[in-house]
Amino acid sequence: MLALVISGEAIFFLPFILPRVFRPTLLDVFQIDNFQLGVMFSAYGVVAMVSYFLGGPLADRFSARSLMAWALIATSLGGLVMATYPSYSVLTIIYGLWGATTILLFWAALIRATREWGGPAFQGRAFGLLDAGRGFVGALIGTAGVALLSGLMPEEVITASPEKQAASFRYVILMFSIFTFLIAIFVRFALPGSKIKPEASIKSDLNGIWQIVKMRAVWLQAIIIVCAYVGYKI
């Protein structure tokens, strides 16, 4: 569960925690505005939306441990590219790729691994621990990032030159990237392997999706989740 909790938040450090906690600095050092940042998030969102449909069958077909580890590694590599301060177009591509690594490879595998950990009797406790732990890890690492950036900046941040800001912020990006990579190694050795369905095929995946689409309970849960996310984002 510790591996699930930490990885479940670490996968989103670079795409979300970084711009959420360090938005003014990120806009300054990359020389972009809020509209351009929104376009980057839109690239992430479009890819992620498609990935949600494909991630479930993928998680049934491959080991959750392997999918999660590779997703973390790929996400961290995107952070290393980001630390070179690429162009806006490259940043948009990185965010699009993160939509695939965090959702297509990771999210359904995380849900599957959490369900397997909880077993038939402890589903509520498993997912409760997962979300509570993710919130704690996010707050902890976000605070560490702020402390690192403030330690590298002069006492009067407003007087820091653009070069100083860029150099200091690069260390924050690298910290998040290295941490994400290390968590990938932790996940690889901490999680047990998942049983794979040998009969899995594209036809069986499509049939399974169609059976789920016809379930009334799934649509009711989807409505609840959409309402919860709208309220949360507002």
Side-chain angles (χ1 to χ4, degrees):
M1 178 50 72
L2 182 63
L4 296 176
V5 165
I6 298 177
S7 64
E9 190 65 17
I11 193 75
F12 297 111
F13 283 163
L14 289 161
F16 288 110
I17 299 295
L18 200 65
R20 183 184 301 163
V21 178
F22 305 97
R23 178 182 293 248
T25 304
L26 184 144
L27 296 178
D28 287 343
V29 299
F30 283 100
Q31 297 183 342
I32 59 176
D33 55 31
N34 281 299
F35 177 81
Q36 291 173 308
L37 181 61
V39 172
M40 290 157 51
F41 275 124
S42 296
Y44 176 97
V46 170
V47 175
M49 181 176 63
V50 176
S51 297
Y52 274 117
F53 290 97
L54 304 176
L58 197 67
D60 287 336
R61 195 180 289 265
F62 297 99
S63 165
R65 176 179 63 187
S66 297
L67 287 172
M68 292 170 64
W70 283 112
L72 288 159
I73 291 172
T75 302
S76 69
L77 292 178
L80 294 181
V81 176
M82 188 180 188
T84 65
Y85 292 129
S87 65
Y88 165 65
S89 58
V90 174
L91 276 176
T92 305
I93 293 173
I94 291 173
Y95 263 82
L97 293 175
W98 278 340
T101 61
T102 59
I103 305 302
L104 176 65
L105 298 180
F106 187 87
W107 189 250
L110 173 68
I111 299 303
R112 175 183 176 177
T114 304
R115 291 187 70 242
E116 291 176 350
W117 184 90
F122 300 104
Q123 292 293 299
R125 297 182 192 181
F127 283 99
L129 283 172
L130 177 69
D131 272 350
R134 286 179 60 208
F136 176 76
V137 171
L140 189 66
I141 297 300
T143 302
V146 171
L148 175 63
L149 184 63
S150 63
L152 295 170
M153 288 286 197
E155 291 187 11
E156 295 295 333
V157 178
I158 195 171
T159 64
S161 64
E163 293 77 13
K164 179 63 177 179
Q165 287 191 52
S168 301
F169 194 58
R170 178 178 283 113
Y171 285 110
V172 176
I173 300 174
L174 290 175
M175 182 193 78
F176 282 172
S177 301
I178 293 170
F179 184 82
T180 304
F181 183 83
L182 293 176
I183 295 304
I185 298 175
F186 180 42
V187 164
R188 182 63 183 82
F189 289 99
L191 294 186
S194 302
K195 294 181 180 179
I196 308 302
K197 294 168 60 178
E199 73 280 6
S201 65
I202 295 177
K203 183 178 180 180
S204 65
D205 289 339
L206 293 175
N207 288 336
I209 292 173
W210 177 242
Q211 294 301 318
I212 292 171
V213 167
K214 293 190 295 183
M215 294 173 63
R216 180 171 177 267
V218 171
W219 288 97
L220 293 175
Q221 290 181 41
I223 292 171
I224 293 171
I225 291 173
V226 168
C227 292
Y229 264 100
V230 170
Y232 169 72
K233 292 299 181 183
I234 290 175

